[in-house]
Every structure is written in structure tokens, then in C-alpha cells.
Amino acid sequence: MTQPTGLTGLTGRRVTANLSLTLDGRYHGPGGPGDFAAFAPYVTSDVARDHMNRMWESATTALLGRVNAEGFMGYWSSVAEDDDADPRDRGYAKWLVGTEKVVLSTTLTEAPWERTRVVNAPAADVVTELKATGAGDILVNSSASVIKPLLKADLLDRLHLMILPEIAGGGQRLFDDGLPPSRWRLTQRESGELGELALVYDRVR
């Protein structure tokens, strides 16, 4: 197993993203955005938990869409206080609660969580602003609505992907037609007993 070695480049901060996909490239099932039946058996595996820990180690900002922010903070806030939780889950939860959070939303007017600001602006503009100041990775965590425009603008430097051995047969795909061509280098891979793959790709520029 190799460790990811992507460089931040001359612009400073690296923009990373995390998402789980089925073999047919879906990030949810045919039942709509809440259909994660194909994902459930894999998200608590050792490979998935170790993969999750790696993705936030260098991150100092979490960039989220509104729907994911509401779901994440509703769930992970309690895990951060749960002494019986898996240490990897609790570590991520504490990071998420304590780190800077930027939530993209056209409907929220104020942030319902601490250390959070709400921004009504295109994802590419927000990331460009974040890259201009501060330090540490900017992690777009499982928010496809944010990842897609960043792929289109070629602003992602690293992709953390969990590939699950399921064909969903419906649902939204991450990689839409019309994206600009790009090349990526595999810098981390790990497989689990259930057939899941944890992959890290760095953008080659």
C-alpha cells in the first residue's frame, strides 16, 4: 500500500473531494438522493473508515452543499461526543465539528452550526477565494453538487473515491458528459473483504 504524495503546487492550498460510487458510477440509487441501499454494507468497513481518516488529516476547511451539511452535522455532532464510537469515526466527527466549514446554499440565511459561514455563490468562485488565503487542504466531503462544478472548472487536485461492487442501475452519475479532459495519477489504493476499493487520484497538471 502506498501513501498519496500529491503536491499543493504554486497556488498553495490543495482542493480535495470525497465520494462513494457504484460500479456504474452512481452516487445514489434509482430511488433518488436518499437511496443509499447499495452503499450501506460498505460504509463501516475498515477500508472505508481508514479511507475517511486519510482524507481529513491535512484538511483545515470543509466545503459542503446545504443538504449534506444538514445531514452531516445532524449525525456527526453526536458521534463526536460518543465514547463508544469507533475511534476513527469519532476522530472524523471531532474534526468536522471543530474545523472551518463553508456551506454553499441559496436558501440558508445564517449558519446553524459553530465555525460555519454560509455562502450564496458559485462553487468555483468560493474555492478560488479560499485558495487565496489560509493553509491546509479544502475538503469537499461527499457533496456531488459542489464536486461537479469544480470538476468542470478543473479546480480539484485530489479525488478520494470509494468504489463499491454494486451496479445501482439508476441514480445520478458523478462524471457527466462534457467535462474538460484531464489526467490523474493513482497514489493510493486499498481493497476490502467485501470487494470495495479505496482509491486516491491526484490531478496531473
Side-chain angles (χ1 to χ4, degrees):
M1 185 172 66
T2 58
Q3 292 298 319
T5 56
L7 301 177
T8 58
L10 297 176
T11 56
R13 304 187 75 182
R14 181 172 52 190
V15 186
T16 70
N18 170 67
L19 203 61
S20 295
L21 301 173
T22 59
L23 284 178
D24 51 343
R26 321 281 183 167
Y27 55 86
H28 64 69
D35 182 0
F36 294 108
F39 299 75
Y42 310 98
V43 295
T44 58
S45 73
D46 283 336
V47 166
R49 282 177 160 139
D50 290 342
H51 182 70
M52 180 175 67
N53 258 17
R54 284 190 293 269
M55 74 186 183
W56 64 263
E57 283 178 340
S58 302
T60 55
T61 300
L63 180 59
L64 300 143
R66 177 190 60 83
V67 173
N68 269 40
E70 290 176 342
F72 278 23
M73 296 309 295
Y75 174 75
W76 289 107
S77 295
S78 60
V79 175
E81 303 300 325
D82 184 358
D83 292 337
D84 295 325
D86 184 285
R88 293 163 295 186
D89 292 352
R90 195 172 184 206
Y92 168 74
K94 286 186 172 182
W95 171 81
L96 182 64
V97 170
T99 199
E100 173 194 29
K101 292 171 284 294
V102 179
V103 177
L104 302 185
S105 176
T106 59
T107 56
L108 288 177
T109 56
E110 58 183 33
W113 314 284
E114 293 183 359
R115 290 172 286 280
T116 304
R117 64 186 174 103
V118 176
V119 181
N120 181 0
D125 293 349
V126 174
V127 162
T128 300
E129 176 192 337
L130 288 171
K131 283 174 66 71
T133 60
D137 289 354
I138 301 159
L139 173 61
V140 186
N141 197 350
S142 296
S143 293
S145 64
V146 181
I147 297 171
K148 284 187 171 189
L150 295 182
L151 281 170
K152 189 173 182 179
D154 196 16
L155 284 172
L156 287 179
D157 302 305
R158 172 169 288 179
L159 282 170
H160 298 261
L161 299 177
M162 280 291 300
I163 307 300
L164 311 178
E166 304 266 351
I167 293 176
Q172 293 294 312
R173 286 191 170 98
L174 175 62
F175 300 109
D176 295 326
D177 290 343
L179 289 174
S182 59
R183 188 160 66 92
W184 299 76
R185 180 176 66 254
L186 179 65
T187 54
Q188 170 84 40
R189 63 181 179 272
E190 188 175 2
S191 59
E193 294 181 357
L194 299 176
E196 72 276 26
L197 289 173
L199 305 173
V200 180
Y201 284 96
D202 284 338
R203 177 74 168 92
V204 177
R205 300 189 186 279

